[in-house]
Amino acid sequence: MAYSILGRGPMDHDKWTPDETSQDKWTAVDRYFSEQLSLSDPALDAALAANKAAELPAIDVAPNQGKFLQLLALLVGARSILEIGTLGGYSSIWLARALPAGGRLITLEFNPKHAEVARANIARAGLTDIVDIRVGAALDTLPKLQTEITEPFDLIFIDADKPHNAEYLHWALKLSRRGTLIIVDNVVRDGAVIDVASSNPDVQGARLLFEQLAAERGLSATALQTVGTKGHDGFAFALVTAG
Ligand code: SAH
Ligand code: DHB
Ligand code: MG
């Protein structure tokens, strides 16, 4: 088992969770950041409340992660953003707020119910004119998007079904230019990403993504582990350096 290299011995990754004390501490620190840095406001709170009321899974990015995505969008001077995986639009709101006048965020969502909740959340945040939600399986909506767009995206956030991550990266490259920043969520999964033998398709999706990141010559990539309210997970970041 992969964990044996960490001296822990075999573990069932699907069942492994951090011990309660660690998770409580990570959650408390995230709460501290969120309060000290004012990482919530009525529109963001309303979005999370509407997601909960509609029984959407609580798998949105954390507030400090949403702000981090927003800062990255500002750093790259993004005018156009593509998001794959909308859920209730919580990350969409963070990202769309980084856009200048005339900017645009296109977000792809498979589940019509999620898209409907997101539409209301985005409207409440005053972002209806900026955010365009496309409903359907991303692998179906991406080819259409390619025929439609006249300019490559400046930033692409991949956060949908994990088994398709390598395919989403492939599409992201088609819709990019030199300087486009590609970010992928949930690439660590409690450390399971290092388990070669994992039977979890999400884990295999993350591993395939890293294989592709390694194989692509026109990308400069890294990944960071995160701990917080969402447990132990992480992001991959890839800057398009060719094209
Ligand atoms: N980015 C959101 C969280 C997305 S959760 C946030 O941080 O707020 C992942 C979303 O991807 C779910 O809403 C799920 O329905 C959607 N999804 C799953 N499979 C998909 C597919 N094939 N195409 C597009 N979206 C998909
Ligand atoms: C899951 C998906 C996510 O996008 C996330 O951030 C956390 C968990 C999931 O499918 O379990
Ligand atoms: Mg995610």
Side-chain angles (χ1 to χ4, degrees), residues 162-166 184-189 192-194 200-213:
K162 314 310 170 188
H164 285 135
N165 267 346
V184 189
D185 193 19
N186 312 116
V187 301
V188 174
R189 296 302 187 133
V193 66
I194 60 171
N200 183 334
D202 289 358
V203 173
Q204 288 305 335
R207 293 183 59 81
L208 272 172
L209 172 83
F210 280 105
E211 277 176 35
Q212 201 192 341
L213 286 171

Side-chain angles (χ1 to χ4, degrees), residues 33-148:
F33 290 156
S34 194
E35 283 167 10
Q36 287 299 308
L37 303 173
S38 304
L39 300 178
S40 67
D41 62 35
L44 289 166
D45 289 344
L48 293 178
N51 290 357
K52 195 169 182 186
E55 296 180 337
L56 266 51
I59 55 175
D60 337 70
V61 293
N64 52 345
Q65 295 176 335
K67 181 69 180 269
F68 183 60
L69 295 173
Q70 181 179 94
L71 293 177
L72 290 174
L74 288 167
L75 276 166
V76 302
R79 299 183 54 84
S80 64
I81 298 175
L82 172 64
E83 175 178 71
I84 308 179
T86 316
L87 190 67
Y90 183 77
S91 55
S92 321
I93 293 172
W94 277 109
L95 283 165
R97 285 176 172 176
L99 291 167
R104 190 166 177 74
L105 182 144
I106 298 179
T107 181
L108 312 181
E109 175 53 52
F110 172 70
N111 187 319
K113 179 182 157 184
H114 295 184
E116 191 185 313
V117 174
R119 209 166 280 124
N121 289 337
I122 285 159
R124 253 192 305 269
L127 295 165
T128 301
D129 294 341
I130 297 170
V131 178
D132 179 355
I133 307 173
R134 308 279 173 98
V135 182
L139 289 177
D140 294 334
T141 52
L142 283 162
K144 184 165 174 282
L145 189 59
Q146 187 187 21
T147 64
E148 226 179 87

Side-chain angles (χ1 to χ4, degrees), residues 20-33:
E20 242 172 72
T21 327
S22 300
Q23 183 57 63
D24 287 351
K25 195 192 286 180
W26 300 342
T27 302
V29 172
D30 263 2
R31 191 174 307 126
Y32 171 75
F33 290 156

